Amino acid sequence: VEDEADLALLEARDLLFARLLQYRAYKQIADLFGERLDAEGRRHPRTVGLEPRHAELLPEVVIGIGAEGFARLAVKAARPRPRPQVHLDHIHAPLVSVREQAGIVAALLRERGRTAFRELVAEAGDTLTVVARFLALLELYRDRAVELDQAEALGELYVTWTGGDGPATVPAEFDEFDESVESDRAPDAPQETA
């Protein structure tokens, strides 16, 4: 075919023929579904008991609990459940004062003379207290109140008190850890840092 008009007519004819084939296929499937629905509508299930050969396969029910056990279960089920509580301890850790921890570290070192850092933080309750004691130890080292000795890298750190026998005075440099907390708190509130 060389004429474009004839080519367009052929394409239209083929398209119409394809649509007629689709229509016939849908009609056949619809007839098949109709026949199946009619056949299934005439069926009814049996309402009979279990056959004896299948009934023998069922295991015997053994109840190993008596009346007292059922009573305990009933009491347990009827007992009111505790109200759910949301604990906030894990969200906000309490502030730890570096100045206060410096006083504790100085008192321990004055009493013992020389001790391992592990022993200084042994009774610390949480990580923030350990960090505060470490910062206090660094400040005491900067003020030459303690000497640090570590034989090998990542080995045991020993701390020796060199600040004298008098009462331990906490240096003013500890205020740098407390500045951010003081600005947020009332003047008469106790001093704490993170």
Side-chain angles (χ1 to χ4, degrees), residues 21-85:
L21 287 176
Q22 275 184 338
Y23 173 72
R24 190 172 90 185
Y26 280 121
K27 190 171 180 184
Q28 288 175 350
I29 293 294
D31 290 341
L32 182 64
F33 280 157
E35 291 172 8
R36 291 258 175 108
L37 284 173
D38 289 340
E40 294 297 325
R42 291 190 297 265
R43 293 184 183 194
H44 300 286
R46 290 190 319 165
T47 54
V48 295
L50 194 60
E51 295 179 14
R53 62 186 173 109
H54 293 291
E56 293 172 359
L57 298 176
L58 290 175
E60 185 178 333
V61 178
V62 177
I63 299 176
I65 189 169
E68 296 85 17
F70 277 121
R72 282 194 302 273
L73 286 176
V75 167
K76 184 178 178 183
R79 184 178 303 137
R81 302 198 187 287
R83 296 183 67 194
Q85 296 180 351

Side-chain angles (χ1 to χ4, degrees), residues 10-168:
L10 287 175
E11 287 178 3
R13 185 192 69 180
D14 290 343
L15 183 62
L16 181 61
F17 184 68
R19 285 186 181 164
L20 287 173
L21 287 176
Q22 275 184 338
Y23 173 72
R24 190 172 90 185
Y26 280 121
K27 190 171 180 184
Q28 288 175 350
I29 293 294
D31 290 341
L32 182 64
F33 280 157
E35 291 172 8
R36 291 258 175 108
L37 284 173
D38 289 340
E40 294 297 325
R42 291 190 297 265
R43 293 184 183 194
H44 300 286
R46 290 190 319 165
T47 54
V48 295
L50 194 60
E51 295 179 14
R53 62 186 173 109
H54 293 291
E56 293 172 359
L57 298 176
L58 290 175
E60 185 178 333
V61 178
V62 177
I63 299 176
I65 189 169
E68 296 85 17
F70 277 121
R72 282 194 302 273
L73 286 176
V75 167
K76 184 178 178 183
R79 184 178 303 137
R81 302 198 187 287
R83 296 183 67 194
Q85 296 180 351
V86 178
H87 298 285
L88 303 177
D89 299 342
H90 65 284
I91 296 175
H92 177 71
L95 299 176
V96 179
S97 171
V98 175
R99 180 183 291 273
E100 181 182 310
Q101 295 303 318
I104 293 171
V105 168
L108 286 171
L109 287 173
R110 243 187 282 106
E111 176 186 318
R112 299 178 185 171
R114 176 181 163 95
T115 186
F117 178 73
R118 183 186 318 267
E119 294 174 11
L120 289 176
V121 296
E123 65 272 352
D126 56 357
T127 306
L128 285 178
T129 306
V130 173
V131 170
R133 287 192 185 179
F134 180 72
L135 290 173
L137 189 64
L138 291 177
E139 288 298 324
L140 289 171
Y141 178 75
R142 185 168 68 177
D143 290 339
R144 301 180 195 273
V146 296
E147 286 182 0
L148 302 175
D149 182 32
Q150 190 175 27
E152 59 186 28
L154 302 176
E156 190 73 45
L157 176 66
Y158 289 98
V159 184
T160 307
W161 178 254
T162 60
D165 294 333

